[in-house]
Amino acid sequence: ARNSIYSMIYPGHEYTTDLIMRQFDQKNIPGDLRWVHLPPSTFFEAASHYYVSAHRRALAQKTKLLTIPLPLQKEQIFNPTFRSLKRRGEQLINALLLWYEFGARSLIPDLSETKSGDK
């Protein structure tokens, strides 16, 4: 998770402005991924990035600037699919931790004990 702020996304096409604009039409977004379920800072950051990307796309043809690459962290703000994947990943990790804590601890050796015993 610590390195995810350094991970860059190259989507292969210039879609940032369109993707962010679709985020403002909430009827296209599943209920649990709408702005009301996110902190206000996420909305304002998306609005800010929309302004920047729209400006870059509106420049004259020879002076246009790309809006890619994006850090993975920002892609999670713009893209509901990434937000959904992140949420599902977090749910999976929580489920595995619960499974280990309440069902599999006696079946699986504790790796930290194994590593300290090797020294």
Side-chain angles (χ1 to χ4, degrees), residues 17-18 20-21 24 45-55 78:
T17 304
D18 297 330
I20 299 171
M21 190 60 196
F24 294 113
E45 188 171 351
S48 171
H49 287 291
Y50 172 75
Y51 178 78
V52 169
S53 67
H55 171 73
F78 306 146

Side-chain angles (χ1 to χ4, degrees), residues 66-109:
L66 294 175
T67 60
I68 57 173
L70 291 173
L72 177 59
Q73 195 172 33
K74 292 191 192 259
E75 185 72 15
Q76 292 172 358
I77 292 170
F78 306 146
N79 193 330
T81 303
F82 272 77
R83 288 197 304 266
S84 178
L85 287 172
K86 180 182 178 192
R87 189 187 75 236
R88 288 179 181 161
E90 290 167 350
Q91 290 172 345
L92 176 63
I93 288 170
N94 288 335
L96 287 172
L97 289 171
L98 286 171
W99 170 78
Y100 178 75
E101 182 69 28
F102 296 106
R105 186 182 291 248
S106 62
L107 303 173
I108 300 172

